[in-house]
Amino acid sequence: MLFVVLVSYFLGCLPSANVLARQPPHAVAMADHANIAADLGPLLSAQASIVVPGDATFANLTSRWREYHAPSISAVVQVAVEADVQETPQVRYADKLNIPFIARAGGHGATDSLGAAKHAIQIDFRGMNQIKLSEDGTSATIGGGADVKQVVSTLEGLGKRTVTGICECVGMSAPALGGGHGWLQGQYGLMADQVISARLVLPNGELVVVSEKSEPDLFWAIKGAGHNFGLVTEWEYRVYDTKPTKWSYEIFVYSGDKLEALYELLNKMTKDQPPEFIHWGYIIKVADLDPDHPILWFAVIYDGLTETAREYAKPFHDIDTIMIQSGEATTHELAALTFQDADGPGCAYGLTSLRYPIGLKSYNVGAVREVYNEIDETFRNVPELAGSFFLLEGYSTQAVQAVDPDSTAFPHRGDEILVTSYIQYKPNATIDPVAQEFGEKLRQYLLDGSDEPTRLRAYVNYANGDESLQAVYGWEDWRLEKLRKLKFQWDPKNTMRYYVPIH
C-alpha cells in the first residue's frame, strides 16, 4: 500500500506527454547537420549510425532526464565499437570544426555547464553496453554505454554483483567518473574504487589505457574528476560473489513532529552503522498520508538476513509511525521500493530538476528542522514546487574510508551522509528563480549547521553548477593544482568543459 501511494504521488507530478517530447534544436551555426552526416558517415563502422534533426528517433535519443540547461544537439553519433570513438575520428572532426561534443549513456547529467554545449555532437554510447566476466570471476569488462540495470541484471545472472549507482537508468560511466555512491559501498568502496583500468579516448582522439601502472596520474584524476578528461569506452571493474539472501528492509513513515526524535536517533545509529546497513530517507509531501504537511519517509536497508535487520531497526519502532512496511527484495525490487527503478519516478523525464547536494558528518537536528519548516511553508505558498523532495543517503562508509583519501581525485571520503534537495516542477520559467532560491536556502541551513560552515562539500555527480571548484573537487590546495596540471597535459584546449569544468 505504501509503495503504491507514493508512486502514484510521484507520477502525478509529471507533465503531460507533449512536454516530454523535446523539440529539435535551431539550425546549426558552425556546421550543417547534413554535412556532419556526410563527413562522418564514411568514417564509422557498419554498425554505427548518425541521427539528425528530422529523423524519427532524434527526439528520443536526445531527450534527457532534465531539459533545463540541457545541451543542444545538432547530430547524434551512435557508436558501436571503439574505433567509432577513437579512430574514425569524430572527436577530431568535432575539434577541427570547433563543434562541441558530449558523451551520452544514461542521460541523467544535470548541471548548469551542460547548457553551454551549443549545437553539439552527441556521442551516444548506449550501443557499447557489453558486460563480460573474467575467467577468474573477480572482474568484468563493462562497456562505456552500459547502465546500472544492465550491469546489475547481467552480473546477477552470473552469480556476481558490484558497486553501482542506485537509479537503474543512470549510466555506469558518469557516476564512476565522479566517485560513485551505491548500496554496497560500505563493504567494497565507491564505484571508482572498483576500477582496475579504463580504456580512455582523449579529446584529441588518442586512446590510452589508464591504471595504477599505466598513466597513474590520469588514472587518479578519472576517479573523482573524470568528466574533464576523456571518454571511457570500457572499464575493467571488480566484481564479487552474490549472497544467498535477498536484501531486507523496513520502511517507516513518520509525521513531521517526529523529526527531532528520528534524526537524534539516526545520529546515534550512524556512529556504529555496520557496513551492510543503509539509512535512506525522504522529506516529501504525500497528501494521502498527510494532507497538510510533508512526511518523513525512512528506510533501514540490510544486505543480509531479515532477523538481523529487524533487530537493528527496533529503536525506530519506539517512535510513533503513520505506517510501517517490511520485507525482502532483490536489487531491482529495492530500486523500485526507493523509487529508483527504470520504470519509476526516479527515471521519469519531463520535470525541471535542480539538485543542491551537501556532504555531512552528522545531522544538525536544528538545521534539519529549519529545512523541514522551509519545505512545509514553501509547498503551501508555491504549490508548483510541492513535487520536490529532500533525499538523505546514509550509506555505510567503512570501505570508502579504508581507501587512502589522497589516492583518488574524489575528495569527500570523510563524509558520513549525502543530503540533496531535489527541487522538481513542471517546466515554468517564472518558477525557475523561486526554485533556485528555495534550493539554495535549504542547503544553506545545513551548511550553517555543519562541522565546516564556510566550506561546502558537494558531490560532483549531483552538483547544481553554482558551487565553487573547491566545494566540488576538494578544499586542499594540492587537489585543484594537480587537476589543473593534468588538465593542461591531457586536454590543453579544454575541450571537455561541459560537466563541472575544472577551468
Side-chain angles (χ1 to χ4, degrees):
M1 175 60 184
L2 171 59
F3 175 70
V4 173
V5 167
L6 286 175
V7 168
S8 298
Y9 162 76
F10 271 116
L11 294 178
C13 294
L14 293 176
S16 58
N18 64 332
V19 179
L20 298 175
R22 185 171 169 197
Q23 298 301 311
H26 297 297
V28 179
M30 290 178 287
D32 183 83
H33 56 71
N35 290 338
I36 293 175
D39 291 344
L40 281 178
L43 302 175
L44 299 173
S45 69
Q47 298 79 24
S49 62
I50 298 175
V51 181
V52 298
D55 290 346
T57 59
F58 184 83
N60 283 338
L61 287 173
T62 57
S63 66
R64 301 182 65 86
W65 178 69
R66 186 182 90 170
E67 300 293 350
Y68 177 79
H69 288 188
S72 65
I73 305 301
S74 60
V76 177
V77 181
Q78 294 181 287
V79 294
V81 296
E82 189 171 72
D84 291 331
V85 184
Q86 191 254 329
E87 292 182 15
T88 54
Q90 63 182 359
V91 172
R92 296 177 189 137
Y93 172 86
D95 180 63
K96 185 172 99 172
L97 294 181
N98 195 29
I99 302 172
F101 64 85
I102 63 163
R104 163 69 186 261
H108 263 238
T111 192
D112 280 354
S113 52
L114 278 170
K118 304 294 186 184
H119 313 304
I121 295 175
Q122 176 176 302
I123 304 175
D124 198 308
F125 277 79
R126 281 173 280 188
M128 296 180 65
N129 60 358
Q130 69 280 2
I131 302 160
K132 183 179 179 180
L133 190 65
S134 65
E135 289 188 6
D136 65 5
T138 63
S139 65
T141 53
I142 300 174
D147 64 32
V148 167
K149 185 177 182 180
Q150 291 166 342
V151 172
V152 169
S153 60
T154 300
L155 290 181
E156 282 184 349
L158 299 170
K160 300 292 179 178
R161 64 181 187 170
T162 192
V163 184
T164 71
I166 307 303
C167 190
E168 287 188 327
C169 55
V170 171
M172 280 286 289
S173 290
L177 291 169
H181 291 288
W183 298 131
L184 296 171
Q185 71 171 51
Q187 300 174 66
Y188 307 126
L190 298 169
M191 292 178 67
D193 300 331
Q194 314 314 312
V195 178
I196 300 169
S197 67
R199 298 178 67 83
L200 188 71
V201 174
L202 301 174
N204 65 3
E206 179 186 353
L207 175 69
V208 294
V209 178
V210 296
S211 68
E212 289 183 353
K213 295 181 179 179
S214 174
E215 306 297 354
D217 282 346
L218 183 55
F219 187 57
W220 173 90
I222 70 164
K223 296 190 292 182
H227 314 86
N228 287 275
F229 290 96
L231 309 176
V232 175
T233 61
E234 187 175 82
W235 301 94
E236 183 184 8
Y237 205 79
R238 293 182 179 89
V239 299
Y240 309 90
D241 292 336
T242 55
K243 286 188 174 183
T245 56
K246 292 184 176 183
W247 293 89
S248 302
Y249 67 89
E250 197 156 14
I251 299 169
F252 303 84
V253 176
Y254 302 103
S255 56
D257 61 314
K258 305 302 188 298
L259 183 146
E260 283 76 12
L262 174 60
Y263 285 94
E264 286 170 3
L265 177 58
L266 273 175
N267 277 336
K268 295 177 183 177
M269 301 285 281
T270 300
K271 292 178 182 178
D272 299 309
Q273 184 177 341
E276 300 85 5
F277 277 94
I278 299 102
H279 302 153
W280 185 275
Y282 296 101
I283 298 176
I284 188 169
K285 181 68 178 295
V286 182
D288 287 346
L289 299 178
D290 187 330
D292 300 316
H293 305 288
I295 61 163
L296 310 177
W297 186 103
F298 174 74
V300 173
I301 299 167
Y302 177 58
D303 183 24
L305 295 172
T306 298
E307 294 77 10
T308 306
R310 298 296 173 268
E311 183 65 28
Y312 179 84
K314 276 184 178 180
F316 296 100
H317 287 264
D318 295 335
I319 306 171
D320 289 339
T321 63
I322 296 174
M323 63 169 57
I324 298 174
Q325 177 179 332
S326 60
E328 297 179 345
T330 64
T331 302
H332 166 68
E333 291 165 343
L334 187 60
L337 284 164
T338 53
F339 320 110
Q340 304 299 321
D341 61 305
D343 298 318
C347 290
Y349 282 27
L351 294 175
T352 296
S353 300
L354 311 180
R355 296 183 293 197
Y356 295 86
I358 180 171
L360 300 171
K361 297 188 184 302
S362 64
Y363 294 109
N364 182 311
V365 177
V368 179
R369 167 53 68 186
E370 288 185 288
V371 165
Y372 179 92
N373 290 345
E374 187 72 36
I375 291 171
D376 193 15
E377 181 179 357
T378 300
F379 284 2
R380 288 196 302 272
N381 295 337
V382 190
E384 294 89 344
L385 297 180
S388 304
F389 61 91
F390 194 70
L391 172 61
L392 307 110
E393 300 176 63
Y395 306 105
S396 299
T397 58
Q398 286 89 335
V400 175
Q401 295 178 4
V403 175
D404 180 354
D406 296 347
S407 66
T408 68
F410 181 78
H412 305 314
R413 290 185 184 272
D415 289 338
E416 300 289 346
I417 307 155
L418 174 59
V419 179
T420 308
S421 301
Y422 279 71
I423 313 304
Q424 294 192 320
Y425 52 100
K426 296 178 182 179
N428 184 337
T430 63
I431 297 296
D432 291 341
V434 179
Q436 292 164 12
E437 182 181 0
F438 179 42
E440 291 165 0
K441 187 178 291 187
L442 296 182
R443 182 161 64 182
Q444 191 64 45
Y445 286 135
L446 296 176
L447 182 59
D448 289 344
S450 72
D451 59 306
E452 291 189 284
T454 62
R455 291 191 168 189
L456 172 67
R457 299 187 296 273
Y459 181 40
V460 63
N461 289 330
Y462 292 177
N464 182 58
D466 60 344
E467 301 88 351
S468 71
L469 290 180
Q470 290 89 344
V472 174
Y473 294 116
W475 288 95
E476 305 101 321
D477 291 341
W478 68 268
R479 286 189 176 275
L480 272 173
E481 290 173 6
K482 183 173 182 176
L483 284 171
R484 284 169 173 151
K485 287 178 181 178
L486 289 167
K487 181 71 170 175
F488 182 76
Q489 176 183 354
W490 295 102
D491 184 16
K493 294 182 179 180
N494 196 25
T495 303
M496 298 199 67
R497 60 183 183 274
Y498 299 113
Y499 197 94
V500 195
I502 296 169
H503 290 301

